[in-house]
């Protein structure tokens, strides 16, 4: 084949190659733009979901702070005479074991029934108010013991014996507060939110030197849990879908 024929053939095929190359470049550019658009949409969605989580956390943090203030204002003068304290995590703790129960028994002592009769209706009045009741997941009555159970008991035997005792004590406490005439109007709401939880010696109190505070470990706590975690979990589920 002569040189002129080769050149003529090359000139004929070149435009065809260019015609195929240009659409391919346009396709690649289009795909890049599409991927960038998807990435931007994803980033916007993630930022939107993150903002929702942050907003809910802030709302519930403010609600918890306000609830603490309301509880503190209501019970501030009573806490010392009751042998009780209120933490910022919304735990109200009755910490005088001699006032609560006799050793190894689950029957409420007279003084504790008097305290509960005064405390619980006022407590429920605050928690069941319109500004709080829809945000409350659970009101936990928690019973705690020391690690001791009869001198000869093993660690495991003491733990399970105290578990039964703490569960029985919270159950009798629950039965008593639900029977109070002053809370009967909120009975339905309370039964849906109030629980009894015996925790044995799983959450001991310690002295500064690290030794067990046996008296401090024996306590009854009323603890409020909000539904903020559930709301945030719902948002996170939509993110994973």
């Amino acid at each position: 084949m002569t040189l002129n024929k080769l050149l003529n053939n090359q000139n004929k095929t070149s435009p065809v190659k260019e015609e195929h190359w240009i659409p391919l470049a346009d396709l690649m550019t289009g795909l890049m733009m599409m991927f960038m658009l998807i990435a931007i949409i994803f980033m916007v969605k993630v930022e939107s979901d993150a903002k929702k989580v942050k907003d809910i956390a802030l709302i519930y943090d403010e609600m918890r702070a306000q609830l603490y203030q309301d509880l503190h204002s209501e019970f501030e003068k009573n806490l010392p005479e009751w042998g009780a304290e209120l933490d910022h995590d919304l735990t109200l703790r009755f910490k005088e074991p001699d006032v609560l129960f006799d050793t190894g028994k689950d029957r409420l002592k007279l003084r504790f029934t008097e305290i509960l009769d005064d405390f619980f209706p006022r407590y429920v009045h605050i928690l069941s108010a319109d500004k709080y009741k829809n945000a409350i997941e659970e009101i936990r009555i928690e019973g705690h013991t020391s690690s001791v159970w009869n001198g000869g008991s093993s660690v495991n035997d003491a733990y399970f014996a105290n578990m039964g005792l703490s569960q029985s004590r919270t159950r009798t406490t629950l039965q008593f507060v639900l029977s109070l005439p002053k809370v009967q109007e909120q009975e339905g709401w309370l039964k849906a939110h109030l629980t009894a939880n015996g925790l044995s010696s799983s959450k001991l109190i310690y002295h500064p030197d690290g030794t067990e505070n046996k008296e401090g470990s024996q306590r009854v706590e009323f603890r409020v849990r909000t539904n903020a975690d559930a709301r945030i979990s719902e948002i996170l589920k939509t993110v994973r879908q």
Side-chain angles (χ1 to χ4, degrees):
M1 185 179 293
T2 64
L3 180 59
N4 289 333
K5 287 184 178 181
L6 289 173
L7 290 174
N8 289 335
N9 289 338
Q10 184 175 6
N11 290 335
K12 290 179 181 178
T13 57
S14 294
V16 176
K17 290 183 179 179
E18 289 179 1
E19 289 174 1
H20 283 79
W21 172 253
I22 293 173
L24 181 59
D26 291 342
L27 177 61
M28 294 300 295
T29 301
L31 288 173
M32 289 179 62
M33 294 297 294
M34 185 182 298
F35 288 134
M36 288 179 62
L37 180 59
I38 292 172
I40 291 171
I41 293 173
F42 178 77
M43 290 174 63
V44 169
K45 186 178 187 303
V46 169
E47 289 181 3
S48 176
D49 292 330
K51 186 177 184 303
K52 289 178 183 177
V53 171
K54 182 179 179 181
D55 288 345
I56 288 176
L58 288 173
I59 290 171
Y60 277 83
D61 188 55
E62 292 173 0
M63 184 275 294
R64 286 169 61 89
Q66 184 59 56
L67 178 54
Y68 170 81
Q69 289 299 326
D70 288 349
L71 291 172
H72 185 266
S73 297
E74 178 69 28
F75 298 119
E76 180 180 10
K77 296 179 180 179
N78 301 115
L79 294 176
E81 65 184 77
W82 291 345
E85 61 186 11
L86 174 66
D87 286 347
H88 281 84
D89 68 355
L90 304 181
T91 298
L92 201 151
R93 180 177 301 107
F94 295 97
K95 56 179 184 174
E96 297 291 342
D98 291 338
V99 173
L100 307 176
F101 305 93
D102 287 324
T103 301
K105 304 297 182 181
D106 63 4
R107 184 177 179 181
L108 281 67
K109 298 183 79 169
L110 177 61
R111 177 56 182 152
F112 193 31
T113 63
E114 294 172 344
I115 292 172
L116 290 173
D117 184 59
D118 184 13
F119 155 74
F120 194 69
R122 294 157 62 190
Y123 184 65
V124 172
H125 179 73
I126 294 173
L127 298 184
S128 63
D130 289 341
K131 62 179 177 178
Y132 296 130
K133 66 179 181 180
N134 292 328
I136 291 177
E137 178 77 15
E138 182 183 16
I139 306 167
R140 295 172 58 88
I141 303 175
E142 293 186 354
H144 302 267
T145 69
S146 69
S147 63
V148 176
W149 183 273
N150 295 335
S153 299
S154 68
V155 173
N156 282 342
D157 287 343
Y159 173 78
F160 288 112
N162 278 316
M163 180 64 76
L165 177 62
S166 63
Q167 291 174 344
S168 182
R169 284 177 171 178
T170 56
R171 186 166 56 251
T172 56
T173 303
L174 175 66
Q175 290 172 338
F176 178 80
V177 296
L178 283 179
S179 71
L180 294 173
K182 295 177 184 178
V183 301
Q184 294 311 299
E185 290 185 2
Q186 293 91 8
E187 182 181 14
W189 184 80
L190 285 171
K191 285 182 177 179
H193 294 84
L194 188 63
T195 63
N197 307 270
L199 301 178
S200 186
S201 56
S202 60
K203 297 182 182 293
L204 295 172
I205 302 295
Y206 295 93
H207 292 296
D209 63 1
T211 59
E212 179 184 344
N213 181 344
K214 292 182 175 61
E215 183 175 304
S217 295
Q218 301 171 61
R219 63 201 190 274
V220 173
E221 298 179 349
F222 285 75
R223 182 188 298 269
V224 176
R225 289 181 59 246
T226 68
N227 58 16
D229 291 342
R231 293 284 302 278
I232 291 173
S233 294
E234 289 176 4
I235 294 174
L236 294 178
K237 284 180 182 178
T238 64
V239 173
R240 297 188 184 104
Q241 289 177 352

